[in-house]
Amino acid sequence: QVQLVESGGGLVQAGGSLRLSCAASGSIFSIYDMAWYRQAPGKQRELVAAISYGGSTNYADSVKGRFTISRDNAKNTVYLQMNSLKFEDAAVYYCNADILSSSGLRRGYWGQGTQVSVSS
């Protein structure tokens, strides 16, 4: 069984920073792309940033220059460094990973989500 566990969310003032982490564990053979999504109340879930196994990244236009995605393949962990946070960044942030399990099944997995709130 594979699971993703996120941490690092919380309340931060506008202009501040947070770092999210997401660790994958369980019967993992290999992890391919990893990504962060977010969903604000009343809105659809949207891609924030993604990173390949080799480190190639892409970002939503709204976070370019402010957020940085990275990963530690040895720890099966992906990070999201969020700087210069804005009110519109407030959302539940979800980790997603494309994982090949030891049983031979490859599919996407989701974390439980972590809340990011931005105050004035």
Side-chain angles (χ1 to χ4, degrees):
Q1 189 167 351
V2 174
Q3 63 175 354
L4 302 180
V5 178
E6 298 123 336
S7 61
L11 175 64
V12 64
Q13 283 191 324
S17 298
L18 279 177
R19 189 192 195 208
L20 306 182
S21 300
C22 172
S25 62
S27 302
I28 296 170
F29 183 80
S30 185
I31 302 178
Y32 302 96
D33 291 352
M34 303 184 82
W36 288 96
Y37 288 74
R38 67 187 181 188
Q39 187 167 20
K43 295 188 177 182
Q44 289 189 328
R45 191 171 298 189
E46 63 174 355
L47 176 67
V48 176
I51 185 167
S52 70
Y53 180 86
S56 297
T57 60
N58 67 282
Y59 296 90
D61 288 343
S62 60
V63 306
K64 282 180 181 177
R66 300 187 299 120
F67 291 10
T68 302
I69 189 170
S70 61
R71 65 189 285 173
D72 184 333
N73 291 328
K75 296 181 179 180
N76 290 338
T77 299
V78 63
Y79 306 96
L80 186 68
Q81 178 66 43
M82 304 185 293
N83 299 329
S84 303
L85 281 159
K86 303 177 180 181
F87 296 121
E88 53 263 41
D89 294 319
V92 178
Y93 282 70
Y94 297 91
C95 173
N96 176 272
D98 179 8
I99 296 175
L100 175 63
S101 68
S102 299
S103 65
L105 175 65
R106 178 177 175 176
R107 70 173 183 89
Y109 291 84
W110 290 95
Q112 80 285 359
T114 185
Q115 178 71 50
V116 172
S117 301
V118 182
S119 67
S120 58

